[in-house]
Structures are given as C-alpha cells and as structure tokens.
Amino acid sequence: MATGLVTAKPSRTSSIHGASAGDIPIETRHYWMRRANAALFEVTGNPCPRQAFGTVIVNHTAGGLGELVCIGANDIESGNPTLHGNSPLLVKNKNVAHHQESGETTAIKNCSAILTDPHGPYKLSGHEALRAWADLTLYTNAEPCPMCAAAIRWSGFKELVFGTTIQSLRAYNWKIMTLPARDLFKYTTELPAATTAIAGGVLANETDPYFKWQYTRGTGCPPGCKRTGSKCQASALGGTAKPEQRQAAGVHWAWLRRGA
C-alpha cells in the first residue's frame, strides 16, 4: 500500500493542475505500477534484467485510468553511468515506437520531443510542453536515485510514484546513494516549478521481486523468469525478442496482462 502522498511546499504560491492526488484510486495506482514492471520486457525484451528499473509517465487529467504518454527501462549497461533511470518510448495506439533513448534525465528529454513533435499526438509548443509536466505523473517500480529525483523535481512533475524504496534496495544489498527522494525534495522549495507530490511503497510486494534476486541469495525470480545458477533468465522470449515480439508481448506473456 502507498505510504501516503506528501508535498514539498514551494517558497511561493503555485497551482497543481488536474485532479488532486486524493482523486486517484489505489487500484489505478496499482495498474500503472504493474505497467511500469511490464515496461521492462517491452523496452529491453527481457522481463528480468539485472538493472530492473521500469517507468511509465501518465496523464491523469485525461480521465479514467489516465493516458499513457511514455514507457521506459534502465540502460546503464550501455556504458553511460548516468543512464540508470528510465528510457521512455512513445506509446501510441498500443504500439511502441522503437526510437530508444535511455536514462531518467534523457527520458525527460525524449518525452519533451514527443510532446513537441509537430507530427506527434500532442503538437505542443515549447512553452506549452513546459507547462504540461505539471499534469503528468511518473511511476517507477523503484525509488529514483538523487540524480534522477532531482531531474524529476526540476521538470515539475505533478507526482512521483514509486514501488520499492531505497531502504528496501539497501536491505537487498544494492550499492546505491542512500538519500531518499522525500529528503531531497525538502531542498527544492526555491524552484519555480509547481510542487511534486510523492507516493512511496506502492505495490512493493510486486516490485520487490525485481530487485531481490541480484544480490540476495535464496530468493525467487520475477514473473516470466527462472533461475539458472546465480542468474534469473527469461523462461520464454526474453532478451532475444524482436521489436514485433515485444509489441505482441500482451498476447504471449500473461503476466504483462495482469491488472489490464
């Protein structure tokens, strides 16, 4: 369950656009957190990558469950040490457009391009895109590092919602920066962007398995994977999946349809 939404108060009055945090049912939060887990396979072709950080960016002002804008997954293995966030891809008509960029900071750059693409679904001006962040919620299956949390706060997202906490990552023996996003946000009160609310620990019982197996002995594998020695590997399509197979993942992988 969520630990609750908190907001870092800005130094001056600012508005939060769209529905308030309290208007979002917990079932909707769970749906999008499961979607963040599913993004791992859709982006990487592997349901259990070692760096298992998955993200979706959602517009809840669209009504209903909300509108999916981008999905993404970690790509630190590319060799760039800043890419340990998420790499959103444009999602349109349930098909993933395969122009991948990586890293949570690059994710924001990529989504900016999506929002301002004159041939895309939004066609916003630069000024309109800057204002649009205040309507968007970023769901990630684990708490972002201080670098990525700062980028999220600078962008002015309406909400940051994450599953596995930094405290849990430490308990699972991940070597990470230990500053929680909530504490970092306390130092952002002078930013011109509107406030960013935080919900942590959302559906952690389902996100934790994606982060336990790497450095904790005796743990099981995430859905869609099986243990081979010290590794969790895809039990079917996995990392060999081609783009068209990734698009068909909702048909071939029952766990991706969970909560749909």
Side-chain angles (χ1 to χ4, degrees):
M1 296 293 291
T3 57
L5 286 163
V6 298
T7 302
K9 294 182 179 180
S11 57
R12 59 183 179 81
T13 302
S14 61
S15 61
I16 296 180
H17 305 284
S20 66
D23 292 335
I24 308 299
I26 190 62
E27 293 79 11
T28 299
R29 301 291 192 193
H30 289 178
Y31 173 86
W32 289 113
M33 192 57 66
R34 288 176 176 134
R35 193 68 178 79
N37 282 338
L40 295 173
F41 177 81
E42 292 181 80
V43 175
T44 70
N46 185 355
C48 49
R50 193 167 189 85
Q51 302 291 333
F53 297 86
T55 288
V56 295
I57 295 177
V58 179
N59 176 15
H60 280 301
T61 69
L65 281 174
E67 177 188 34
L68 180 62
V69 180
C70 300
I71 67 173
N74 179 285
D75 193 28
I76 193 173
E77 293 184 4
S78 67
N80 187 330
T82 68
L83 303 189
H84 51 101
N86 309 286
S87 54
L89 308 175
L90 170 62
V91 176
K92 185 179 181 182
N93 298 327
K94 298 184 179 180
N95 291 319
V96 178
H98 293 279
H99 54 283
Q100 298 190 32
E101 293 192 44
S102 306
E104 226 152 18
T105 50
T106 310
I108 295 170
K109 173 186 174 183
N110 193 28
C111 277
S112 296
I114 290 169
L115 292 172
T116 58
D117 183 353
H119 304 293
Y122 303 104
K123 301 179 178 64
L124 300 182
S125 67
H127 182 69
E128 290 171 333
L130 289 174
R131 293 171 54 193
W133 297 111
D135 284 335
L136 301 181
T137 297
L138 188 147
Y139 289 83
T140 181
N141 60 358
E143 187 168 0
C145 73
M147 179 187 71
C148 297
I152 291 167
R153 185 66 190 92
W154 269 109
S155 300
F157 277 93
K158 179 181 179 180
E159 298 173 326
L160 164 62
V161 183
F162 59 85
T164 301
T165 65
I166 282 180
Q167 290 85 348
S168 292
L169 291 174
R170 292 181 66 192
Y172 304 148
N173 301 310
W174 283 74
K175 302 302 180 184
I176 56 174
M177 295 183 182
T178 58
L179 179 66
R182 293 177 189 272
D183 291 345
L184 183 145
F185 279 19
K186 293 177 183 178
Y187 295 92
T188 67
T189 57
E190 299 299 321
L191 293 183
T195 59
T196 299
I198 303 178
V202 175
L203 208 67
N205 62 307
E206 293 188 21
T207 62
D208 283 0
Y210 290 91
F211 302 95
K212 282 185 177 181
W213 67 269
Q214 294 90 335
Y215 307 108
T216 308
R217 292 184 178 181
T219 56
C221 292
C225 302
K226 62 181 180 180
R227 186 168 287 281
T228 303
S230 62
K231 298 181 179 180
C232 285
Q233 296 182 338
S235 55
L237 294 177
T240 62
K242 297 179 180 179
E244 59 270 21
Q245 291 174 311
R246 297 179 191 176
Q247 291 183 19
V251 175
H252 295 292
W253 288 70
W255 68 272
L256 276 178
R257 299 199 303 273
R258 182 175 53 190

